[in-house]
């Protein structure tokens, strides 16, 4: 779970030529990759095994390229009070 190699795919993904992410904050904990907005994890992606760059890119494809746009996820409903 705490193997430093779990971080490698997340480091490599934004470095890829076709990655549009800019300004996002992520965290890796084992097979979990979390996307932060402010101080909160607003989207989480999970895998039972170590992510590959391609799997992580596919899992995060719905995230907007810039953090100043609204990030889809379960947090949106609760933040709006719906």
């Amino acid at each position: 779970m705490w193997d430093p190699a779990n971080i490698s795919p997340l480091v490599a993904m934004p470095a890829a030529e076709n990655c549009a992410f800019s300004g996002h904050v992520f965290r890796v904990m084992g097979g979990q990759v979390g996307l932060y907005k402010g101080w909160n994890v607003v989207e989480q992606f999970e895998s039972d095994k170590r992510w590959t760059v391609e799997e992580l890119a596919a899992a995060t494809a719905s995230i907007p390229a810039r953090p100043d746009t609204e990030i889809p996820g379960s947090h949106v409903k609760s933040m709006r009070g719906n």
Side-chain angles (χ1 to χ4, degrees), residues 9-66:
L10 185 60
V11 172
M13 186 184 68
E17 185 178 338
N18 61 346
C19 184
F21 288 135
S22 178
H24 287 293
V25 177
F26 293 91
R27 67 121 171 85
V28 176
M29 189 169 65
Q32 298 176 347
V33 175
L35 170 66
Y36 278 84
K37 185 169 184 178
W39 295 100
N40 302 306
V41 174
V42 294
E43 199 69 46
Q44 184 162 294
F45 309 93
E46 297 186 26
S47 175
D48 292 336
K49 58 184 178 67
R50 183 170 293 143
W51 290 96
T52 65
V53 175
E54 295 79 18
E55 290 168 341
L56 192 53
T60 59
S62 65
I63 297 173
R66 303 249 183 254

